[in-house]
Amino acid sequence: MQATPLVSVITAIYNRKHTLARAIASLRQQQFQDFEWIAVDDGSTDDSFEIVKAHASEFHHVQLIQKTHTGIADTWNTGIRAARGRWITFLDSDDAYLPDHLQIRVNYIQAHPEIDLLHSTATLVGKEEDFWVPDRSNPSRNIHLKDCAIGATFFMKRQVWETLDGFRQVLFPDADFLERAELRFHVVKIDAPTYVYFRNSSDSFLNKIKQQGPSSGKH
């Protein structure tokens, strides 16, 4: 029987055949290896799931899940329900980790056992104009991503997700989740920009929001 991994990495996938290999390669190259990878395909209509299956054998612990298209919040929740790790984190299918990404976070939570959820800065890739996104608190203005909470950098105890009944189907489920977590748990933000956030994907969630115009949403 396989040992339970410390960390579960959730990757939500929807039509990402052109960026998946980059994300998967960055996960495979992690210095810290006591993790499971849970890839949840949210009803892709391209070859995304075939790419995932082709790489599955490269991981010691892996779960592949296919479901109908329901959006990011339900896809994250689906992955976490299947997760076996005590700690939960994310890797978006169009982003990447630097090699020490997981190791830095594991070191941090081991040194600070009181922490329930941490999130972090990120390395932003794209044009400067792409780093300004709608502000949930004031839809008429944009704010810079450096001032936002980036959901994919969340690294949290499974208990946090269970207590908060998961991510909710709202416009910005990561910001909503963080706000609720901060009321009940020990949450910190660290300066460790080892998450590589590619903002040059034309069909990214935030780009779609910007194209739709101002709407309620805080990052």
Side-chain angles (χ1 to χ4, degrees):
M1 183 176 179
Q2 290 184 326
T4 301
L6 178 66
V7 179
S8 295
V9 179
I10 313 296
T11 298
I13 301 161
Y14 182 65
N15 292 343
R16 284 285 186 258
K17 67 178 183 179
H18 297 300
T19 60
L20 256 174
R22 178 180 65 199
I24 294 169
S26 77
L27 186 57
R28 193 176 61 248
Q29 293 163 5
Q30 287 302 291
Q31 296 170 2
F32 179 84
Q33 286 289 310
D34 186 17
F35 69 87
E36 68 170 339
W37 181 43
I38 303 177
V40 187
D41 185 87
D42 187 31
S44 292
T45 56
D46 63 6
D47 296 327
S48 291
F49 198 66
E50 296 305 313
I51 295 171
V52 168
K53 289 191 293 185
H55 287 277
S57 62
E58 299 169 8
F59 296 90
H60 297 299
H61 306 277
V62 63
Q63 295 188 58
L64 308 183
I65 300 172
Q66 230 177 348
K67 66 179 187 62
T68 57
H69 184 57
T70 55
I72 189 63
D74 183 60
T75 303
W76 280 338
N77 288 334
T78 297
I80 297 172
R81 276 192 291 270
R84 297 183 299 132
R86 181 184 172 209
W87 290 84
I88 307 295
T89 193
F90 306 91
L91 172 60
D92 284 352
S93 53
D94 56 348
D95 292 334
Y97 287 165
L98 295 183
D100 56 352
H101 178 81
L102 292 178
Q103 188 66 67
I104 287 174
R105 280 137 187 87
V106 169
N107 290 347
Y108 193 91
I109 57 104
Q110 289 177 340
H112 301 86
E114 73 280 5
I115 299 299
D116 298 308
L117 183 155
L118 68 84
H119 60 108
S120 73
T121 51
T123 296
L124 306 179
V125 178
K127 298 178 181 178
E128 179 62 25
E129 63 193 50
D130 294 329
F131 303 154
W132 293 87
V133 295
D135 182 356
R136 171 180 168 195
S137 299
N138 183 0
S140 65
R141 74 183 185 102
N142 288 336
I143 56 177
H144 200 279
L145 278 171
K146 65 180 176 60
D147 299 317
C148 300
I150 298 173
T153 71
F154 290 3
F155 194 94
M156 64 183 175
K157 292 177 180 175
R158 183 189 177 93
Q159 173 194 354
V160 177
W161 176 82
E162 292 172 344
T163 301
L164 298 180
D165 293 324
F167 290 93
R168 300 194 295 201
Q169 295 276 26
V170 295
L171 184 58
F172 295 113
D174 50 356
D176 170 77
F177 187 92
L178 184 64
E179 289 176 350
R180 291 185 289 131
E182 288 174 332
L183 296 175
R184 305 181 65 174
F185 294 96
H186 192 155
V187 176
V188 299
K189 182 176 182 179
I190 64 173
D191 185 17
T194 54
Y195 189 93
V196 185
Y197 188 5
F198 288 89
R199 287 288 292 123
N200 53 3
S201 298
S202 61
D203 60 345
S204 71
F205 173 72
L206 285 181
N207 277 337
K208 289 179 180 179
I209 294 298
K210 290 180 73 173
Q211 292 165 5
Q212 292 169 3
S215 55
S216 65
K218 173 188 172 187
H219 300 272

